[in-house]
Amino acid sequence: MIKMFVARRIQHWYPKALPLSKLSSSGSSQLGDLGSGAGKGGGGGGAIREAGGSFGKMEAAREEEYFYKKQLEQLERLKNDQIHQAEYHHQQIKEHEEAIERHKVFLENLPK
């Protein structure tokens, strides 16, 4: 449940990110045995994967590794963006507090 929520938030913040089916493990039920030939979904996935055998399994492993690394990069970018946003908001709070103090001093120094 939480994993799907995170995947949806990533899609919301990064529209060009990987499709949800690649981010969540729920889409793997239709794959069958990776690299063993054409999948249940109707698409073949290329000549090497359709042929099956060790080359098909190796290609499937490379594809899984690619998407795993892509997901790690996206999560790292998301983490960095959140850190930068938090720093920005802390800076804004500091500037607003300083402005409030300046206005208080100004109001105290006004002639009555």
Side-chain angles (χ1 to χ4, degrees), residues 20-93:
L20 285 176
S21 62
K22 293 292 183 183
L23 292 176
S24 65
S25 62
S26 64
S28 64
S29 63
Q30 294 184 355
L31 293 177
D33 191 23
L34 293 176
S36 63
K40 296 178 185 176
I48 292 177
R49 296 215 34 201
E50 284 179 9
S54 61
F55 282 116
K57 290 179 181 175
M58 185 172 60
E59 185 64 28
R62 285 184 182 151
E63 182 178 332
E64 291 297 313
E65 180 184 12
Y66 169 80
F67 284 113
Y68 176 76
K69 287 180 180 179
K70 207 62 158 155
Q71 183 181 14
L72 288 180
E73 290 172 9
Q74 290 173 346
L75 289 173
E76 185 65 27
R77 190 171 64 218
L78 177 65
K79 179 182 173 185
N80 288 337
D81 287 349
Q82 292 298 311
I83 290 171
H84 286 39
Q85 283 185 15
E87 290 171 354
Y88 170 77
H89 289 297
H90 284 294
Q91 182 64 29
Q92 289 292 309
I93 290 170

